[in-house]
Amino acid sequence: MDAQTTYGALALLPPLVAIVLSIWKRQVIVALVLGIWIGATIINGYNPLIGLLETFSTYIVGSAIADVWNAGLLVFCLAIGGMIGVISKMGGTKAIATSLVKKAKDNRSTQLAAAFMGIAIFFDDYANSMIVGNAMRPITDAQRISREKLAYIVDTTAAAVSSMAPVSTWIAMEIGLIGGALSSINIEANPIIVFFQSLPFRFYSIFAILLMFTLITQRRDFSKMLEAEIRSHKTGQVYAEGSTPLFVEDQNLLPPDGLEASVWDAAIPILSFVIVATAGLWYNGYEPGMSIRDAFGNADASVALTWAAFLSSIVALSIGLTKKRFSLDEGVKAWVDGLRSMIIAVIILALAFALKSVISEMQLAEWLVAITEGSLSSAVLPTLTFVIALFIAFATGTSWGTNSIVMPIVVPIAASISGATDAVTPLMVTTIGAVLTGAVLGDHCSPISDTTILSSMASGSDHIDHVNTQLPYVLIAGTLAIVFGFIPAGLGISPWISLFAGLIVITLLVRFAGKRIDDNGNVIS
């Protein structure tokens, strides 16, 4: 690839400005707009006025909002907010929280419930984030678990799980990229088999999940997450004073005092969402002769999730009206109030989409791959591929886009290095795993990633607080993936040995580096 066909290093400027400014000044909306404006100005001949006009017309409206996929996801976020608003108004959210708080023995069991729920909803990362975050938020609040910790659990169990699930919205993209890369070098192999072969090499995704469960079971944290947990346990402030949660409980949505609600008032709409989303993914993606797994992968998730959000809203309204919890006017008002609570998050998500469009037009990913392509060799190929994928995903905020750019380039390189002519080699499988899990890592630590924003949104966390508290855990899992995963894999060591070694290190690291706090927020070990 010719690096001169792109904007070169200038393509780094828009995401760099957006990321640095959002973390430095904690003004995500302003940071994203400035990033888009800088990119639009460069694209339009360095004319700042034209760049400003193009920022709003071409990128925010044309590329972000008018795009069918993006619009569907934005509408889905608003509709799911409306559903939660109706459930809250009729007391369903409070009933679930009250019921589970009685059964939750302690802080640990509540966090484990959130983690297992995240793994159970494996079919789509967006649905995972919205369901787990919204369902568990009142319960974790009652246990004085910080919103930052909930957002971390939600984010960890979203893309990391969905990207490895054999039945999910990710499967067609991953298998399609694998198959396309193999066919480009005339190697006939079943991409589904290669997909399964790559799973042990998803070192970051696996280590991230293991680290999360180890932290929860040992009831330990460190770095900024420890500070958040101490604050939450000591003061009851589940998010920091002065922060801006992406979801704020509207007082108008609180049920009347003394209202006796049932957990089914919330459970039935949520189950309706899951059922409709699952059936919708199959219906939307199915073509004659397709398996369920292939249909899921072929589906447009934004369409299926929008169906689920609106239909489950209707179910929630029907329950409230049938039980006379509110009038039709009050029910519709609750839905609109719930929708309004998502406005800030939707604005940030739309701006993130617009920034990705600018970055794509400036060919940042292609340029990054082009300048690193010559440094790839057998011993370092898996590690370097992993680093390239995570950096591109971090800078662009999209794991799918990263996979689409990197996979077709590095697989032929791996085949050439390993001398493959008619079969898939271990180096090729390792490299495929490095691409797919590196993109997930980049997504996890990027403040402009849609899944990271959704996790903050559903958990009611300040977005930058979520990024900052999650980052140390992401970096630990990523470092372990390199040291105990891809470096040994490049030397031909079995991934199972690497995974076992990583588990031992994670257990010891959490035990000796992590701090445990009691229910009052005091460090006890």
Side-chain angles (χ1 to χ4, degrees), residues 410-462:
V410 297
V411 171
I413 292 174
S416 175
I417 291 173
S418 56
T421 56
D422 57 0
V424 176
T425 65
L427 180 62
M428 294 168 65
V429 175
T430 307
T431 304
I432 289 169
V435 173
L436 298 176
T437 196
V440 173
L441 189 160
D443 236 11
H444 273 170
C445 58
S446 176
I448 62 174
S449 161
D450 49 5
T451 48
T452 306
I453 294 169
L454 284 174
S455 297
S456 300
M457 179 195 307
S459 304
S461 170
D462 179 279

Side-chain angles (χ1 to χ4, degrees), residues 282-476:
W282 172 81
Y283 176 78
N284 181 260
Y286 179 76
E287 294 178 4
M290 269 191 175
S291 66
I292 293 177
R293 178 189 57 220
D294 292 339
F296 268 47
N298 190 49
D300 185 335
S302 67
V303 173
L305 294 177
T306 301
W307 291 343
F310 277 107
L311 290 176
S312 56
S313 294
I314 294 173
V315 170
L317 282 167
S318 300
I319 293 173
L321 293 172
T322 301
K323 292 189 173 184
K324 298 182 179 179
R325 300 286 171 76
F326 44 63
S327 65
L328 180 59
D329 287 344
E330 291 171 334
V332 172
K333 184 178 183 301
W335 191 85
V336 173
D337 286 339
L339 179 149
R340 190 163 50 232
S341 68
M342 308 294 281
I343 290 296
I344 293 176
V346 167
I347 290 172
I348 291 175
L349 194 57
L351 292 175
F353 288 147
L355 181 60
K356 289 177 186 178
S357 178
V358 169
I359 292 169
S360 176
E361 189 169 340
M362 295 184 75
Q363 297 177 282
L364 172 60
E366 291 89 339
W367 177 76
L368 288 171
V369 170
I371 64 172
T372 55
E373 188 172 343
S375 60
L376 301 178
S377 63
S378 178
V380 302
L381 178 61
T383 300
L384 197 53
T385 298
F386 176 71
V387 172
I388 290 171
L390 77 85
F391 188 75
I392 291 175
F394 173 76
T396 62
T398 169
S399 52
W400 282 39
T402 298
N403 293 334
S404 300
I405 291 294
V406 179
M407 186 77 75
I409 296 174
V410 297
V411 171
I413 292 174
S416 175
I417 291 173
S418 56
T421 56
D422 57 0
V424 176
T425 65
L427 180 62
M428 294 168 65
V429 175
T430 307
T431 304
I432 289 169
V435 173
L436 298 176
T437 196
V440 173
L441 189 160
D443 236 11
H444 273 170
C445 58
S446 176
I448 62 174
S449 161
D450 49 5
T451 48
T452 306
I453 294 169
L454 284 174
S455 297
S456 300
M457 179 195 307
S459 304
S461 170
D462 179 279
H463 182 51
I464 300 304
D465 286 345
H466 167 46
V467 173
N468 287 338
T469 52
Q470 176 170 267
L471 187 58
Y473 294 161
V474 171
L475 294 178
I476 288 171

Side-chain angles (χ1 to χ4, degrees), residues 179-196:
L182 294 177
S183 63
S184 70
I185 50 179
N186 299 316
I187 291 182
E188 294 185 4
N190 188 332
I192 297 177
I193 299 299
V194 178
F195 166 84
F196 281 108

Side-chain angles (χ1 to χ4, degrees), residues 2 16 35 43 104 124 128 135 143 156 162 175 195 224 241 273 275 331 343 349 383 391 417 447 515 519:
D2 184 3
L16 193 61
I43 291 171
D124 181 74
N128 180 306
Q143 288 287 338
T156 300
S162 297
I175 289 178
F195 166 84
K224 293 183 180 295
E241 186 176 352
F273 178 92
I275 292 170
I343 290 296
L349 194 57
T383 300
F391 188 75
I417 291 173
K515 301 294 183 182
D519 292 336

Side-chain angles (χ1 to χ4, degrees), residues 225-243:
M225 189 69 79
L226 177 64
E227 296 172 9
E229 286 292 276
I230 291 174
R231 178 208 70 228
S232 185
H233 281 71
K234 278 189 173 182
T235 68
Q237 293 179 328
V238 291
Y239 50 85
E241 186 176 352
S243 65

